[in-house]
Amino acid sequence: VAQLLAIPWAWLGPRPTRSRQVFGHGPRGVSIVTPRVATAGYLWFVLDEAEDEEKNAFMDTWLTRLADTQRGQGRTSIVGIEWQPDIDASSRVMRVLNRGGLLHSLVVAGNDADFNPDKYGALAPFERKLVKYMRWTPGDDLRLPGMDFAIFTSHATTFLEEGLEKALQETALVLRPTGQVLLFFEGESELPESAELYFNVVDAISGGSEVGLTVYRLSPKPKEEFVTQPVKKRRRRRRAPGAAEGAAEGA
Protein backbone atom coordinates (compact mmCIF):
# COMPACT_ATOMS: atom_id res chain seq x y z
CA VAL A 1 0.00 0.00 0.00
CA ALA A 2 1.51 3.28 -1.00
CA GLN A 3 1.02 6.45 0.96
CA LEU A 4 2.04 9.95 -0.06
CA LEU A 5 2.82 12.75 2.41
CA ALA A 6 3.44 16.32 1.34
CA ILE A 7 5.36 18.50 3.85
CA PRO A 8 6.06 22.18 3.21
CA TRP A 9 9.64 22.57 2.08
CA ALA A 10 10.23 25.50 4.44
CA TRP A 11 9.62 23.31 7.52
CA LEU A 12 12.52 21.01 6.86
CA GLY A 13 15.01 22.89 4.79
CA PRO A 14 16.87 21.39 1.82
CA ARG A 15 17.70 17.69 2.07
CA PRO A 16 19.20 15.41 -0.54
CA THR A 17 17.19 12.70 -2.19
CA ARG A 18 18.01 9.27 -0.74
CA SER A 19 16.55 5.80 -0.50
CA ARG A 20 16.54 3.49 2.51
CA GLN A 21 15.56 -0.18 2.52
CA VAL A 22 14.26 -1.55 5.79
CA PHE A 23 14.29 -5.33 6.04
CA GLY A 24 12.29 -7.28 8.58
CA HIS A 25 13.19 -10.73 9.86
CA GLY A 26 14.70 -12.53 6.86
CA PRO A 27 13.29 -11.54 3.46
CA ARG A 28 9.66 -11.20 4.61
CA GLY A 29 9.16 -7.79 3.14
CA VAL A 30 10.80 -4.56 2.12
CA SER A 31 9.73 -1.03 2.94
CA ILE A 32 11.25 1.76 0.89
CA VAL A 33 11.25 5.37 2.12
CA THR A 34 12.26 7.83 -0.57
CA PRO A 35 12.18 11.60 0.03
CA ARG A 36 11.90 13.62 -3.16
CA VAL A 37 11.89 17.39 -3.67
CA ALA A 38 8.88 18.70 -5.57
CA THR A 39 9.13 21.74 -7.78
CA ALA A 40 6.30 23.49 -5.90
CA GLY A 41 8.38 23.78 -2.72
CA TYR A 42 7.21 20.58 -1.01
CA LEU A 43 9.17 17.56 0.16
CA TRP A 44 7.38 14.39 -0.86
CA PHE A 45 7.73 11.13 1.06
CA VAL A 46 6.69 7.99 -0.78
CA LEU A 47 6.13 5.17 1.69
CA ASP A 48 5.94 1.96 -0.30
CA GLU A 49 5.48 -1.19 1.76
CA ALA A 50 5.66 -4.57 0.09
CA GLU A 51 2.11 -5.46 -0.88
CA ASP A 52 2.83 -9.17 -0.70
CA GLU A 53 4.31 -9.18 2.79
CA GLU A 54 1.72 -11.60 4.17
CA LYS A 55 2.14 -13.96 1.22
CA ASN A 56 5.91 -13.81 1.49
CA ALA A 57 5.83 -14.57 5.21
CA PHE A 58 3.49 -17.50 4.57
CA MET A 59 5.78 -18.89 1.87
CA ASP A 60 8.86 -18.40 4.04
CA THR A 61 7.28 -20.38 6.85
CA TRP A 62 6.73 -23.40 4.61
CA LEU A 63 10.06 -23.14 2.84
CA THR A 64 11.76 -23.04 6.24
CA ARG A 65 9.76 -26.07 7.33
CA LEU A 66 10.89 -27.92 4.21
CA ALA A 67 14.53 -27.02 4.94
CA ASP A 68 14.22 -28.07 8.59
CA THR A 69 12.79 -31.44 7.52
CA GLN A 70 15.73 -31.98 5.17
CA ARG A 71 18.17 -31.20 7.98
CA GLY A 72 16.27 -33.57 10.23
CA GLN A 73 16.90 -36.30 7.66
CA GLY A 74 20.62 -35.62 7.96
CA ARG A 75 20.91 -33.69 4.72
CA THR A 76 23.66 -31.05 4.67
CA SER A 77 23.33 -30.10 0.99
CA ILE A 78 20.18 -30.25 -1.12
CA VAL A 79 19.28 -29.99 -4.78
CA GLY A 80 15.78 -29.33 -6.02
CA ILE A 81 13.57 -28.16 -8.82
CA GLU A 82 11.43 -25.04 -9.09
CA TRP A 83 8.72 -25.06 -11.71
CA GLN A 84 7.96 -22.02 -13.86
CA PRO A 85 9.13 -19.22 -11.52
CA ASP A 86 8.16 -15.61 -11.94
CA ILE A 87 11.17 -14.12 -13.71
CA ASP A 88 10.19 -10.61 -12.58
CA ALA A 89 10.49 -11.60 -8.91
CA SER A 90 13.64 -12.36 -6.96
CA SER A 91 14.10 -15.98 -6.00
CA ARG A 92 12.95 -16.08 -2.38
CA VAL A 93 12.84 -19.86 -2.75
CA MET A 94 16.62 -19.91 -3.14
CA ARG A 95 17.27 -17.31 -0.45
CA VAL A 96 15.23 -19.09 2.20
CA LEU A 97 16.51 -22.58 1.41
CA ASN A 98 20.09 -21.32 1.33
CA ARG A 99 20.04 -20.13 4.93
CA GLY A 100 22.91 -21.89 6.64
CA GLY A 101 24.33 -22.88 3.25
CA LEU A 102 21.89 -25.76 2.80
CA LEU A 103 21.09 -25.22 -0.89
CA HIS A 104 23.64 -26.66 -3.33
CA SER A 105 21.93 -25.86 -6.62
CA LEU A 106 18.57 -25.51 -8.30
CA VAL A 107 17.01 -26.80 -11.49
CA VAL A 108 14.43 -24.49 -13.01
CA ALA A 109 11.94 -26.06 -15.42
CA GLY A 110 9.62 -23.99 -17.55
CA ASN A 111 9.05 -22.47 -20.95
CA ASP A 112 9.90 -18.80 -20.48
CA ALA A 113 12.29 -17.75 -23.23
CA ASP A 114 13.45 -14.71 -21.21
CA PHE A 115 14.58 -16.64 -18.14
CA ASN A 116 18.17 -15.83 -17.14
CA PRO A 117 19.66 -18.55 -14.88
CA ASP A 118 22.74 -16.48 -13.99
CA LYS A 119 20.63 -13.56 -12.81
CA TYR A 120 18.24 -15.85 -10.94
CA GLY A 121 21.09 -17.53 -9.11
CA ALA A 122 22.63 -14.26 -7.91
CA LEU A 123 21.56 -14.08 -4.26
CA ALA A 124 23.91 -11.26 -3.33
CA PRO A 125 26.65 -9.21 -5.04
CA PHE A 126 29.27 -11.85 -4.22
CA GLU A 127 27.09 -14.91 -3.74
CA ARG A 128 25.80 -17.02 -6.57
CA LYS A 129 24.18 -20.44 -6.71
CA LEU A 130 24.23 -22.74 -9.69
CA VAL A 131 20.93 -22.65 -11.57
CA LYS A 132 20.35 -25.05 -14.44
CA TYR A 133 17.50 -24.03 -16.73
CA MET A 134 15.61 -26.73 -18.61
CA ARG A 135 13.06 -25.78 -21.24
CA TRP A 136 10.02 -27.93 -20.59
CA THR A 137 6.65 -28.47 -22.19
CA PRO A 138 4.03 -30.97 -20.95
CA GLY A 139 5.13 -34.48 -21.79
CA ASP A 140 8.88 -33.78 -21.80
CA ASP A 141 11.12 -36.08 -19.77
CA LEU A 142 13.57 -34.09 -17.64
CA ARG A 143 15.80 -37.13 -16.96
CA LEU A 144 17.08 -35.69 -13.69
CA PRO A 145 18.83 -37.48 -10.82
CA GLY A 146 17.11 -37.68 -7.44
CA MET A 147 15.78 -34.31 -6.33
CA ASP A 148 15.39 -33.41 -2.65
CA PHE A 149 12.45 -31.07 -3.20
CA ALA A 150 10.16 -29.48 -5.75
CA ILE A 151 8.51 -26.06 -5.48
CA PHE A 152 5.44 -24.80 -7.30
CA THR A 153 4.77 -21.18 -6.38
CA SER A 154 1.32 -19.71 -6.97
CA HIS A 155 2.74 -18.19 -10.16
CA ALA A 156 3.61 -21.68 -11.39
CA THR A 157 0.30 -23.31 -10.45
CA THR A 158 -1.55 -20.50 -12.22
CA PHE A 159 0.69 -20.28 -15.29
CA LEU A 160 1.06 -24.00 -15.95
CA GLU A 161 -2.72 -24.59 -16.03
CA GLU A 162 -3.28 -28.07 -17.52
CA GLY A 163 0.49 -28.57 -17.64
CA LEU A 164 0.46 -28.72 -13.84
CA GLU A 165 -0.76 -32.33 -13.96
CA LYS A 166 2.14 -33.36 -16.21
CA ALA A 167 4.63 -31.40 -14.11
CA LEU A 168 3.50 -33.25 -10.99
CA GLN A 169 3.86 -36.59 -12.79
CA GLU A 170 7.41 -35.65 -13.82
CA THR A 171 8.18 -34.51 -10.28
CA ALA A 172 7.09 -37.89 -8.89
CA LEU A 173 9.63 -39.60 -11.15
CA VAL A 174 12.63 -37.47 -10.17
CA LEU A 175 12.02 -37.00 -6.44
CA ARG A 176 13.92 -38.98 -3.82
CA PRO A 177 11.77 -41.27 -1.64
CA THR A 178 12.14 -38.83 1.28
CA GLY A 179 11.78 -35.72 -0.87
CA GLN A 180 9.07 -33.10 -0.47
CA VAL A 181 6.85 -30.99 -2.69
CA LEU A 182 5.36 -27.61 -1.86
CA LEU A 183 2.36 -26.52 -3.93
CA PHE A 184 1.08 -22.97 -3.49
CA PHE A 185 -2.25 -21.86 -4.92
CA GLU A 186 -3.90 -18.47 -5.10
CA GLY A 187 -6.99 -18.57 -2.90
CA GLU A 188 -8.28 -21.99 -2.00
CA SER A 189 -8.04 -24.89 -4.42
CA GLU A 190 -8.45 -28.64 -4.37
CA LEU A 191 -5.47 -30.88 -4.97
CA PRO A 192 -4.75 -31.76 -8.63
CA GLU A 193 -5.46 -35.36 -9.60
CA SER A 194 -1.81 -36.19 -10.30
CA ALA A 195 -0.92 -35.16 -6.76
CA GLU A 196 -3.50 -37.55 -5.38
CA LEU A 197 -2.20 -40.40 -7.55
CA TYR A 198 1.53 -40.01 -6.91
CA PHE A 199 1.85 -38.31 -3.52
CA ASN A 200 0.71 -38.47 0.08
CA VAL A 201 -0.60 -35.27 1.63
CA VAL A 202 1.46 -34.23 4.65
CA ASP A 203 -0.20 -30.83 5.17
CA ALA A 204 -2.97 -28.81 3.56
CA ILE A 205 -3.16 -25.30 4.98
CA SER A 206 -5.17 -22.26 3.98
CA GLY A 207 -3.62 -18.93 4.82
CA GLY A 208 -7.06 -17.33 4.92
CA SER A 209 -8.23 -14.14 3.28
CA GLU A 210 -5.35 -12.07 4.68
CA VAL A 211 -2.73 -14.24 2.98
CA GLY A 212 -4.68 -15.38 -0.08
CA LEU A 213 -2.69 -18.59 -0.49
CA THR A 214 -3.20 -22.29 0.12
CA VAL A 215 -0.25 -24.64 0.50
CA TYR A 216 -0.03 -28.41 0.12
CA ARG A 217 3.01 -30.26 1.38
CA LEU A 218 3.40 -33.64 -0.29
CA SER A 219 5.65 -36.68 0.00
CA PRO A 220 6.02 -39.22 -2.81
CA LYS A 221 4.30 -42.57 -2.73
CA PRO A 222 6.54 -45.61 -3.36
CA LYS A 223 7.05 -45.89 -7.10
CA GLU A 224 5.58 -49.40 -7.14
CA GLU A 225 2.30 -47.83 -6.01
CA PHE A 226 2.16 -45.33 -8.85
CA VAL A 227 -1.07 -45.42 -10.78
CA THR A 228 -0.29 -45.83 -14.45
CA GLN A 229 -3.58 -44.80 -16.03
CA PRO A 230 -3.54 -41.42 -17.80
CA VAL A 231 -4.77 -38.45 -15.83
CA LYS A 232 -8.04 -37.10 -17.12
CA LYS A 233 -8.28 -33.39 -17.68
CA ARG A 234 -10.61 -31.81 -15.23
CA ARG A 235 -11.38 -28.37 -13.99
CA ARG A 236 -10.08 -27.69 -10.51
CA ARG A 237 -12.85 -26.69 -8.16
CA ARG A 238 -12.21 -24.16 -5.46
CA ARG A 239 -12.50 -25.44 -1.93
CA ALA A 240 -11.17 -24.58 1.50
CA PRO A 241 -8.80 -27.19 2.93
CA GLY A 242 -9.61 -26.02 6.43
CA ALA A 243 -7.21 -24.81 9.07
CA ALA A 244 -5.07 -27.93 8.74
CA GLU A 245 -5.29 -31.29 7.06
CA GLY A 246 -2.47 -33.75 7.08
CA ALA A 247 0.02 -35.44 9.25
CA ALA A 248 2.60 -34.25 11.72
CA GLU A 249 4.55 -31.11 10.96
CA GLY A 250 7.89 -32.83 11.11
CA ALA A 251 7.11 -35.25 8.29
Side-chain angles (χ1 to χ4, degrees):
V1 178
Q3 298 177 346
L4 191 64
L5 302 179
I7 302 177
W9 174 252
W11 292 2
L12 298 178
R15 295 187 180 185
T17 298
R18 60 187 177 86
S19 295
R20 177 170 60 89
Q21 290 188 338
V22 182
F23 291 82
H25 178 69
R28 290 183 53 177
V30 179
S31 297
I32 300 175
V33 182
T34 306
R36 291 189 177 91
V37 178
T39 56
Y42 284 83
L43 184 67
W44 297 89
F45 285 83
V46 180
L47 306 179
D48 187 5
E49 296 183 354
E51 296 180 356
D52 294 332
E53 183 176 356
E54 293 295 333
K55 288 185 177 181
N56 292 340
F58 185 77
M59 284 187 61
D60 287 4
T61 296
W62 287 95
L63 290 167
T64 300
R65 186 169 296 182
L66 183 151
D68 289 345
T69 300
Q70 296 289 333
R71 290 190 180 96
Q73 296 172 356
R75 307 288 293 178
T76 58
S77 180
I78 60 175
V79 179
I81 181 171
E82 182 180 2
W83 289 91
Q84 198 66 49
D86 183 356
I87 63 172
D88 294 325
S90 60
S91 178
R92 68 183 316 97
V93 169
M94 296 187 67
R95 292 203 309 272
V96 174
L97 295 181
N98 191 51
R99 291 172 184 170
L102 182 63
L103 183 66
H104 176 271
S105 58
L106 186 72
V107 174
V108 171
N111 56 7
D112 197 320
D114 295 326
F115 183 80
N116 185 331
D118 292 333
K119 180 180 179 181
Y120 202 67
L123 304 183
F126 300 102
E127 183 177 11
R128 185 182 302 275
K129 288 294 179 179
L130 175 63
V131 174
K132 180 180 181 180
Y133 183 55
M134 302 188 72
R135 293 293 296 272
W136 180 88
T137 56
D140 288 352
D141 183 355
L142 294 179
R143 299 184 182 276
L144 293 170
M147 297 283 103
D148 295 297
F149 66 88
I151 305 294
F152 295 80
T153 65
S154 59
H155 177 271
T157 55
T158 300
F159 187 91
L160 287 170
E161 297 180 335
E162 294 295 342
L164 178 60
E165 298 280 7
K166 292 292 186 181
L168 283 165
Q169 291 180 45
E170 184 65 24
T171 298
L173 296 174
V174 303
L175 207 63
R176 289 193 307 109
T178 56
Q180 298 178 86
V181 178
L182 289 181
L183 273 169
F184 293 93
F185 291 95
E186 292 285 347
E188 295 175 339
S189 178
E190 72 173 358
L191 201 60
E193 186 177 358
S194 289
E196 297 172 349
L197 294 176
Y198 302 114
F199 298 92
N200 296 312
V201 179
V202 180
D203 294 289
I205 305 294
S206 170
S209 58
E210 291 185 357
V211 174
L213 289 178
T214 296
V215 63
Y216 290 92
R217 185 160 62 132
L218 312 175
S219 63
K221 292 180 179 179
K223 287 185 170 57
E224 57 268 21
E225 296 182 14
F226 282 4
V227 179
T228 56
Q229 68 264 26
V231 175
K232 298 178 181 178
K233 291 184 179 181
R234 66 177 183 177
R235 186 177 181 180
R236 294 203 308 271
R237 300 184 303 276
R238 298 287 176 179
R239 74 167 181 87
E245 297 175 8
E249 293 181 359

